[in-house]
Amino acid sequence: NELHFWTMSDIVPSSFPIQLTTSGLNLFFPGLESYYGPNLPIDIEYRLLKAGDVQMKENDQTVSFKGDMAVNFWVQMANSTQEIAVAITVKNFDGNGTILIEDMILKSSIISAQIEEILVNSTTFGDLNLDLLTALLNQGIDLGVPFLNNYL
C-alpha cells in the first residue's frame, strides 16, 4: 500500500492567492509560463516514498513524522494531453497534525509542515533555483494549510 493523492487545479478557489496554472506557478517555476503558455491548469500529484520518526502524543492528540515525497506538476495541455513539467523529490518533509476518530469517522487537520530539501528530478523548461523553490513552497504550505484543512 502507498499514500498517493492529488491536488486538482479546479478545487482552488479563485480568491486563493496562488492559482494552479502555468501563470500562477510561474513565480515558483520561472520559465513555466513562457514554455507552455499562460493560464493552463496544473494538477499536482504526491506520492509518499518514505515515512519515519513517527511520534504520537496522547495528551494533545497530535502525530508528527518526517518523510520523503515525490511531487509531480502535470500541465493540462490545450490539446487535452498532460505532461509532467516538474518532477521533484521533497526530502525530510516534517509534518505535524491531528488525527481523530469520532463516530467511526476519521478526521484530520494539519498543524504545521516544513520542507528541508528539494531534489529536482526533471523539468521540461530549464533549471530551477532550489533555495527560492524551497522558500516559496514553504510559503505555499503556510498559506494552503487552512484551505487544505477544510477538505480533510
Side-chain angles (χ1 to χ4, degrees), residues 64-77:
S64 62
F65 74 95
K66 282 194 175 285
D68 296 348
M69 184 175 294
V71 183
N72 296 316
F73 294 81
W74 291 86
V75 175
Q76 306 303 312
M77 311 288 276

Side-chain angles (χ1 to χ4, degrees), residues 42-77:
I42 296 179
D43 297 331
I44 306 174
E45 175 188 25
Y46 312 87
R47 186 179 312 270
L48 186 65
L49 302 173
K50 179 178 90 173
D53 194 20
V54 177
Q55 298 180 12
M56 296 181 187
K57 298 178 184 169
E58 184 178 6
N59 61 339
D60 63 2
Q61 298 179 324
T62 61
V63 61
S64 62
F65 74 95
K66 282 194 175 285
D68 296 348
M69 184 175 294
V71 183
N72 296 316
F73 294 81
W74 291 86
V75 175
Q76 306 303 312
M77 311 288 276

Side-chain angles (χ1 to χ4, degrees), residues 58-113:
E58 184 178 6
N59 61 339
D60 63 2
Q61 298 179 324
T62 61
V63 61
S64 62
F65 74 95
K66 282 194 175 285
D68 296 348
M69 184 175 294
V71 183
N72 296 316
F73 294 81
W74 291 86
V75 175
Q76 306 303 312
M77 311 288 276
N79 64 3
S80 299
T81 61
Q82 56 185 351
E83 176 175 287
I84 297 176
V86 178
I88 60 176
T89 300
V90 175
K91 301 286 286 179
N92 296 320
F93 176 82
D94 191 4
N96 186 16
T98 61
I99 299 175
L100 302 172
I101 299 175
E102 293 179 2
D103 299 324
M104 300 304 289
I105 297 172
L106 182 68
K107 296 181 179 183
S108 61
S109 68
I110 300 169
I111 296 170
S112 65

Side-chain angles (χ1 to χ4, degrees), residues 7-13 19-21 40-44 76:
T7 302
M8 307 308 280
S9 60
D10 59 357
I11 71 161
V12 178
Q19 293 299 302
L20 296 184
T21 65
L40 292 176
I42 296 179
D43 297 331
I44 306 174
Q76 306 303 312

